[in-house]
Amino acid sequence: MLEKLLSHLTGQAKDERDNLFLGVFTHEDDTLEATKACREADFNFYDVFSPYAVHGLDRAMGLPFSKITWVTFLCGAMGTMIAFFGMSYIAAWDWPLNIGGKAPFPFPAMIPIMFELTVLIGGVCTMLGLFALCRLFPGKKARLFHPRITDDRFVIAIEIDEDFDEAKCREIFTKHNVEEMKEVDPDYEASPEGGSA
Amino acid sequence: MSATIIDEPEKFSFPTMVKLGCFAAIAVGLITFGLSFIGGSDVAFGGWAIASWYVVGFPLFAMFFLSINHLANAGWHVTLKRVPEAMTTYFLPGLLTFAVLCLSFLSTGDHQLYGWAHLNPDHHDAHTELIQKKAGWLNVPFFLIRTGIYFGLWTAFAWAIVRVSRKQDEDGDYKHTFTARKLAAVFSIVFGLSVTFASIDFIKSVEPTWFSTMFGVYQFAGIIESGFAMLILLLLLLRKLGYFKSAVNVNHFHNLGIWLFASATFWAYIWFSQFMLIWYSNIPEETAHFVARWNGPWFWVSFALNPIVNWVVIFFLLLPRPNKRNPKILAIAAVSALIGRFIDLWQFVTPTPHNNAEGVPEAHLLPQAMFWQILIVVGLIGFFLLVTLKALEKAPLLAKKDPYFEESVHHHI
């Protein structure tokens, strides 16, 4: 059910998706160089998987700069506005109160709260925005392309479409010390107990 | 990984045009300082105090920058570290400018910059009495001794840290990096205390009856902000002159832009906190300072221009990532920070009521004093550039034997 909904959301019917060609690597630098070579060969990446963030991998894959900064900025600005208008309404307009002999519209006293709500809403929305952009949600099933992908293996997954050239891809992978290569169907998943991918 | 070969000049030679520019600035500054005595000795020495403290902030910043990078085990700054190292040589010439500042104690004019030095003992008003209670700290001999102590400590640590770096140039031994780290750890404590005390002595004692528990950190924030601005502008100037073409790349400027952004925001935080706590608690001996600035024309300087130039402009200019990698926008932000530092010190020193001949404080609000005082600052910045660029000639521009050199060349964010 959930899977059906998701494939609707990602805009692809199940049977239209391409098969994937996987290359398993043991070293970060090999993965990075192989990724660059695949991009030069005009292959389309399904994704590149690594146990930790690899510096420069996003640029090697040709990913655009993340839009998460806009989420942070706009939600932070929204937090500032909520605090400012909220306090103005509560303390100065709806029910003016004399607190400590200050004017009914105590702007300096509002600034710390505006700052706090900017940080709070900006921060929480950054996290939620990151989940949305990564299509992450509580209870999402992890999809493993290799049993040791969270440990010490790197996987490049390439879509087998009209741009794909298997012989060339095998050549690139082999040149960069690939450990294992294979073609799999779109729903492929390695068993977490180990064995071969 | 093989060592990267960097094909660019290794020795800096001071271009005559830049040198002439520095001398011209110094001449303008000194002439203005002389002329500004027309406005009163407090205007002249006020401008000189602003300028000396403003400019000695640069070597202090340079020492801070080197120290925190050593303490954090950072490597990205190594290709550009000769510039802050050259900046630290300004401490002794800076002492000279403070010696000139101490001449203000000799002045017997109507308005005194440091009113506490010329108290009239026959006056028995509350103001005089309050300052007399502080005479144990605020007296001329002890002030001179403290000035000597600050500059002695700063010069000694600057000499030690630069010496370690030069030694590494000769033998390439990594143990010097550890020596520098130990020095940096001790200096960070010395730095925190000395900057606090020095800022209270040189700047806050202009208004000796005022209380603020945040003044030390407030001045620290201003020093760091203007220091990063100066470092960015110096590096851009050096790149214009043909140095650091490949060793200092856009990623280093990105890091410096982050630092400028962060220090400007930190300044805004501290500036506002100091004001808000005093505004909120509403205690007369604290609010007097802000009342003088809240009413009248100074409001626009202290509460509008100051935060806008020091923070708002820099915050929005440097918020997007591509802007931090754009030298032109970075330069605009840096100039804004340098102007902001002047406005910050100017709105502190100049509107403060100075003592008249009877030892009674008298409001002496002179926004027009800016035109004198800003030129004095320009003069001392010229002096600082002359000293720094002269010092930059003495050592190789690239610290090639630093263990982090390779990492710094390949710095990438």
Side-chain angles (χ1 to χ4, degrees):
Chain A
M1 172 69 192
L2 197 59
E3 218 155 295
K4 212 170 173 184
L5 183 74
L6 267 182
S7 56
H8 269 290
L9 282 177
T10 50
Q12 269 179 321
K14 210 169 181 178
D15 47 345
E16 281 170 23
R17 287 180 295 160
D18 296 313
N19 276 2
L20 301 175
F21 192 78
L22 303 184
V24 181
F25 294 82
T26 53
H27 201 279
E28 175 189 326
D29 290 341
D30 290 333
T31 319
L32 199 60
E33 291 307 317
T35 308
K36 281 180 192 158
C38 287
R39 184 162 146 72
E40 270 160 37
D42 243 356
F43 298 156
N44 294 320
F45 292 102
Y46 174 77
D47 213 340
V48 180
F49 299 86
S50 66
Y52 51 85
V54 174
H55 193 93
L57 188 60
D58 49 347
R59 231 154 300 176
M61 287 171 71
L63 294 179
F65 195 73
S66 171
K67 293 193 175 48
I68 195 78
T69 53
W70 281 103
V71 176
T72 312
F73 177 73
L74 293 175
C75 293
M78 193 177 75
T80 321
M81 293 295 150
I82 290 174
F84 175 71
F85 289 112
M87 278 184 295
S88 305
Y89 174 74
I90 294 164
W93 196 64
D94 186 50
W95 197 271
L97 276 180
N98 183 334
I99 300 170
K102 301 289 184 244
F105 181 73
F107 186 63
M110 290 179 176
I111 289 182
I113 296 143
M114 285 159 67
F115 169 73
E116 301 290 349
L117 273 201
T118 309
V119 174
L120 177 70
I121 296 184
V124 170
C125 288
T126 304
M127 188 194 71
L128 295 178
L130 188 74
F131 282 179
L133 288 172
C134 297
R135 311 260 191 285
L136 265 177
F137 49 87
K140 177 172 177 171
K141 232 178 114 215
R143 189 173 173 201
L144 295 176
F145 281 90
H146 189 279
R148 285 164 73 176
I149 190 72
T150 57
D151 183 11
D152 60 355
R153 287 298 187 276
F154 302 80
V155 173
I156 299 179
I158 290 178
E159 290 177 348
I160 300 181
D161 52 16
E162 60 272 17
D163 293 331
F164 188 71
D165 174 355
E166 186 170 338
K168 191 162 180 208
C169 189
R170 279 181 184 274
E171 186 195 316
I172 290 171
F173 281 4
T174 314
K175 198 177 142 206
H176 293 102
N177 313 319
V178 72
E179 190 186 53
E180 194 180 334
M181 295 180 273
K182 67 156 135 189
E183 186 183 332
V184 295
D185 63 88
D187 291 319
Y188 168 80
E189 213 172 317
S191 67
E193 275 78 41
S196 75
Chain B
M1 208 170 1
S2 60
T4 315
I5 296 151
I6 291 179
D7 182 29
E8 57 182 74
E10 288 212 13
K11 274 276 181 192
F12 173 71
S13 68
F14 202 161
T16 323
M17 280 307 287
V18 181
K19 207 181 270 179
L20 283 177
C22 291
F23 280 121
I26 295 170
V28 168
L30 286 180
I31 291 168
T32 316
F33 178 55
L35 287 175
S36 60
F37 278 93
I38 297 166
S41 93
D42 59 337
V43 173
F45 281 116
W48 194 263
I50 292 170
S52 326
W53 181 242
Y54 183 115
V55 177
V56 88
F58 296 141
L60 279 172
F61 152 78
M63 285 299 287
F64 167 82
F65 181 73
L66 292 170
S67 299
I68 49 162
N69 279 326
H70 279 306
L71 285 175
N73 206 6
W76 68 272
H77 73 295
V78 166
T79 50
L80 57 90
K81 79 171 181 180
R82 283 290 134 88
V83 180
E85 278 178 15
M87 281 160 94
T88 61
T89 52
Y90 179 76
F91 279 128
L92 277 183
L95 180 58
L96 194 72
T97 64
F98 278 91
V100 174
L101 181 62
C102 290
L103 292 179
S104 72
F105 296 132
L106 301 175
S107 139
T108 49
D110 243 11
H111 292 278
Q112 296 296 332
L113 177 67
Y114 294 122
W116 48 265
H118 293 272
L119 281 184
N120 187 343
D122 302 330
H123 241 278
H124 294 292
D125 63 338
H127 179 82
T128 313
E129 208 169 307
L130 272 177
I131 299 174
Q132 271 167 347
K133 290 232 157 70
K134 302 182 182 192
W137 182 267
L138 287 180
N139 60 70
V140 176
F142 193 26
F143 184 92
L144 298 178
I145 291 169
R146 285 199 303 272
T147 308
I149 292 173
Y150 303 142
F151 277 88
L153 282 170
W154 294 338
T155 313
F157 274 96
W159 174 80
I161 276 195
V162 172
R163 179 169 149 269
V164 166
S165 169
R166 295 287 186 282
K167 270 194 170 171
Q168 197 164 46
D169 269 0
E170 284 161 21
D171 57 15
D173 197 335
Y174 63 83
K175 75 172 188 217
H176 297 306
T177 304
F178 295 124
T179 315
R181 190 181 304 165
K182 280 178 199 140
L183 279 170
V186 180
F187 180 75
S188 62
I189 299 166
V190 171
F191 175 82
L193 292 173
S194 61
V195 166
T196 304
F197 283 115
S199 61
I200 289 171
D201 279 342
F202 297 133
I203 299 298
K204 190 158 161 273
S205 78
V206 169
E207 195 174 354
T209 50
W210 186 50
F211 288 83
S212 167
T213 49
M214 294 189 71
F215 196 76
V217 68
Y218 170 52
Q219 287 304 312
F220 159 76
I223 285 171
I224 299 312
E225 184 185 350
S226 59
F228 274 110
M230 181 47 93
L231 180 58
I232 288 170
L233 290 177
L234 260 175
L235 284 170
L236 289 173
L237 172 74
L238 288 169
R239 271 173 72 95
K240 263 242 143 64
L241 296 173
Y243 302 94
F244 291 131
K245 278 284 180 206
S246 58
V248 178
N249 60 41
V250 70
N251 297 293
H252 297 96
F253 281 107
H254 188 159
N255 263 21
L256 291 169
I258 294 171
W259 263 115
L260 179 59
F261 176 86
S263 53
T265 306
F266 180 65
W267 175 89
Y269 181 80
I270 298 299
W271 170 81
F272 178 71
S273 298
Q274 174 176 269
F275 167 72
M276 196 203 69
L277 293 176
I278 288 171
W279 170 83
Y280 213 102
S281 58
N282 209 7
I283 298 169
E285 62 260 35
E286 292 178 348
T287 48
H289 170 83
F290 286 114
V291 168
R293 285 154 188 81
W294 189 268
N295 302 312
W298 281 98
F299 175 85
W300 299 104
V301 178
S302 297
F303 292 98
L305 201 58
N306 196 13
I308 288 172
V309 176
N310 260 315
W311 177 66
V312 178
V313 170
I314 297 170
F315 182 84
F316 286 102
L317 270 183
L318 294 186
L319 193 55
R321 175 189 154 99
N323 287 5
K324 290 192 271 280
R325 302 172 79 84
N326 181 334
K328 274 195 188 114
I329 295 178
L330 209 51
I332 294 170
V335 169
S336 178
L338 287 185
I339 295 172
R341 177 74 176 144
F342 169 75
I343 291 169
D344 195 21
L345 288 173
W346 173 57
Q347 64 87 30
F348 190 93
V349 172
T350 306
T352 297
H354 300 304
N355 286 11
N356 66 14
E358 268 81 53
V360 178
E362 190 178 86
H364 192 60
L365 303 183
L366 266 183
Q368 61 268 37
M370 176 180 87
F371 302 107
W372 302 111
Q373 296 181 335
I374 202 164
L375 286 178
I376 301 175
V377 173
V378 168
L380 284 198
I381 287 180
F383 183 43
F384 164 77
L385 287 178
L386 187 72
V387 171
T388 302
L389 294 177
K390 203 98 191 110
L392 200 58
E393 276 186 319
K394 293 201 181 106
L397 273 183
L398 300 171
K400 285 195 170 165
K401 286 187 178 160
D402 191 299
Y404 288 115
F405 184 76
E406 199 62 25
E407 178 181 328
S408 183
V409 171
H410 295 284
H411 178 58
H412 183 263
I413 45 175

